[in-house]
Amino acid sequence: NFFLPALFSVLVLSLHFSLNGAQSCNPNDKKALLDIKASFGNPASLSSWNNSATNCCTWLGVTCDSSTKRVVGIELHDSPDFAGKAIPSTISELTFLQSLQIYNLNLVGSIPTSITALKNLNLINLAGNRLSGPIPQLLSQIQSLTYVSLGNNFFSGSIPPSLSNLKNLYFINFEYNNLTGTLPASLGNIGLTYLYLSHNQLSGAIPTDGNLQDFDSTAFFHNKCLCG
């Protein structure tokens, strides 16, 4: 029958594309995700992050770009089996990552320096953990950042003036930490739209340069003195 070879070819092509679709996950990203899982101690909540599951774009909390199939987003939150773990330095292996949200997990330690390798990162949300140490100056090296949320942690020290180098930064949440010192005047020059600094130990006057005095007073509640 003339049509049988053609039908067979169609079926082979369909199977080929089906298999390729099932494997629509960059192998480097898949390896990075499995390394991250191992660094977290292979928590049960990441059971879908499985080497035998070829398409990592369908794994819990993972978002991929629809065209490139590269991992662009990680969102993990509100799971008890991460408590006491640190943020893995292997996060930096997800080189196309744009959004990193690992919040309300009771993670400890500091923000790894390797995060500066994420040159496409525009959103970082690490709120609701037990992270400590200073807010790292190195965040200013990630020029694509627009949104930084580090609230409800144990960060200490001063707010890095170098954050004003992030010209696209519009959102800062540092509330409920142990921050001290004064508010850098340079932050008023980058067009911040949202600023949350309440429940720290900041002091001094709110700088008159830029737009910092435009924020509602609730942004500065429960500090030593952030006076207008």
Side-chain angles (χ1 to χ4, degrees):
N1 190 315
F2 174 78
F3 293 103
L4 287 179
L7 179 60
F8 178 76
S9 297
V10 169
L11 290 173
V12 169
L13 285 172
S14 298
L15 179 61
H16 171 76
F17 287 121
S18 176
L19 289 174
N20 281 350
Q23 298 175 1
S24 58
C25 172
N26 182 277
N28 293 329
D29 290 348
K30 180 181 179 181
K31 178 183 181 301
L33 291 170
L34 292 173
D35 288 345
I36 292 166
K37 177 185 177 182
S39 296
F40 275 135
N42 296 309
S45 57
L46 295 185
S47 59
S48 64
W49 294 28
N50 190 310
N51 191 46
S52 62
T54 54
N55 187 2
C56 68
C57 297
T58 64
W59 293 359
L60 175 72
V62 175
T63 301
C64 291
D65 181 272
S66 58
S67 57
T68 65
K69 306 302 181 185
R70 300 304 300 254
V71 173
V72 294
I74 295 292
E75 183 172 359
L76 303 172
H77 58 91
D78 299 289
S79 180
D81 52 5
F82 288 83
K85 301 296 193 300
I87 298 173
S89 60
T90 47
I91 290 282
S92 63
E93 296 174 15
L94 294 171
T95 53
F96 285 75
L97 199 65
Q98 298 173 19
S99 174
L100 175 61
Q101 301 195 72
I102 42 180
Y103 57 94
N104 295 342
L105 293 174
N106 284 316
L107 300 175
V108 299
S110 57
I111 298 175
T113 58
S114 63
I115 201 171
T116 56
L118 300 176
K119 301 303 184 184
N120 300 299
L121 194 65
N122 54 58
L123 186 156
I124 179 168
N125 179 8
L126 306 177
N129 288 295
R130 290 185 287 146
L131 302 172
S132 58
I135 293 174
Q137 299 267 0
L138 56 81
L139 289 178
S140 63
Q141 298 178 29
I142 310 174
Q143 288 294 306
S144 54
L145 276 177
T146 63
Y147 182 113
V148 178
S149 181
L150 305 178
N152 294 80
N153 279 288
F154 296 101
F155 289 109
S156 58
S158 58
I159 297 174
S162 60
L163 290 177
S164 61
N165 296 331
L166 300 174
K167 301 306 181 185
N168 297 313
L169 189 64
Y170 75 91
F171 184 103
I172 287 178
N173 175 11
F174 293 161
E175 64 183 5
Y176 289 93
N177 278 288
N178 299 313
L179 300 177
T180 57
T182 58
L183 187 57
S186 56
L187 288 181
N189 301 320
I190 58 173
L192 283 173
T193 305
Y194 301 95
L195 179 64
Y196 302 96
L197 299 174
S198 69
H199 297 84
N200 281 285
Q201 300 176 47
L202 298 168
S203 59
I206 300 173
T208 56
D209 294 344
N211 72 334
L212 292 178
Q213 292 208 348
D214 296 338
F215 287 98
D216 188 278
S217 61
T218 57
F220 309 117
F221 274 175
H222 297 283
N223 282 282
K224 285 187 175 179
C225 176
L226 276 175
C227 315

